[in-house]
Amino acid sequence: DGASAALMYYEQSHDPRVAGLALLNPWVRSPLSLARTKVKRYYGQRLLQGSFWAKLLRGQVSWSAVRGLAGDVRTASRLSSTFVPNGAFQQQMAAGWLAFSGPILLLLSELDATAHEFTEYTTCDPAWQLALQRRQPTRVVLPGADHTCSTPGAKTAVEAAMRSWLAGMPQRAALQRGRERA
């Protein structure tokens, strides 16, 4: 995933040629983030649907699905520290985010599980909480967009967000240089 690779690259290189980071749906997959996202976004919605309960009462929900739900609930209830060893790629990404002093554009697709997972992961991981607190990005949620922004409306939204963000980059860079001198 390009967003994840860009952060890990910067964490390792501190490449001075990188003027800004535009990150679309960063990938932070872990057992915890996947389970929490499934419980919140999929199972939560599914349990509210009448069609699910009708299938359950007719015996059309497999036991493997029920076991999967139970396993995801167990996993989702555990602490994040049990799932992310020090040095894991998610921690390298957070370190890259913190090390980068330029502007960051964070694009999150509304209908993308990877984007939901990023949001879930970063709200429970201490390294990411610190990174987002110290280095707040320009955050744009792309309404109706899937992972690759494959619809014309999503593509237009990405382009508009990028144009707007790029138009403000010289001003942001000047402000950042002023803060670094102070």
Side-chain angles (χ1 to χ4, degrees):
D1 183 87
S4 304
L7 288 168
M8 290 186 290
Y9 170 78
Y10 194 80
E11 189 268 334
Q12 292 175 357
S13 71
H14 295 269
D15 189 336
R17 298 172 297 172
V18 179
L21 291 171
L23 309 170
L24 174 64
N25 302 322
W27 192 76
V28 292
R29 175 69 45 93
S30 76
L32 176 67
S33 64
L34 180 60
R36 285 188 175 174
T37 301
K38 284 167 60 177
V39 168
K40 266 188 173 177
R41 301 286 178 166
Y42 176 73
Y43 295 125
Q45 291 174 0
R46 190 73 176 115
L47 291 173
L48 297 175
Q49 296 171 346
S51 61
F52 167 76
W53 292 102
K55 283 178 76 171
L56 182 67
L57 292 173
R58 288 192 305 268
Q60 295 176 319
V61 176
S62 72
W63 280 109
S64 64
V66 173
R67 283 191 301 275
L69 167 60
D72 284 338
V73 168
R74 272 192 312 277
T75 300
S77 66
R78 293 183 183 152
L79 296 174
S80 63
S81 61
T82 61
F83 288 92
V84 184
N86 289 336
F89 79 92
Q90 299 94 333
Q91 304 307 301
Q92 291 176 308
M93 290 170 61
W97 185 290
L98 269 173
F100 185 67
S101 63
I104 299 173
L105 173 63
L106 177 61
L107 299 160
L108 298 171
S109 296
E110 179 187 39
L111 304 179
D112 179 44
T114 301
H116 296 160
E117 221 174 314
F118 177 82
T119 301
E120 184 63 38
Y121 188 93
T122 58
T123 59
C124 69
D125 182 76
W128 271 104
Q129 289 172 345
L130 178 65
L132 288 168
Q133 179 185 10
R134 288 195 183 161
R135 301 275 307 119
Q136 295 180 4
T138 300
R139 181 185 289 250
V140 176
V141 176
L142 304 164
D146 61 12
H147 184 72
T148 59
C149 302
S150 61
T151 65
K155 181 180 176 197
T156 301
V158 169
E159 291 169 354
M162 287 293 297
R163 276 195 303 278
S164 175
W165 181 71
L166 288 169
M169 277 195 61
Q171 296 162 335
R172 284 190 200 99
L175 286 172
Q176 186 63 34
R177 282 193 300 273
R179 278 182 263 184
E180 290 171 355
R181 288 183 192 138

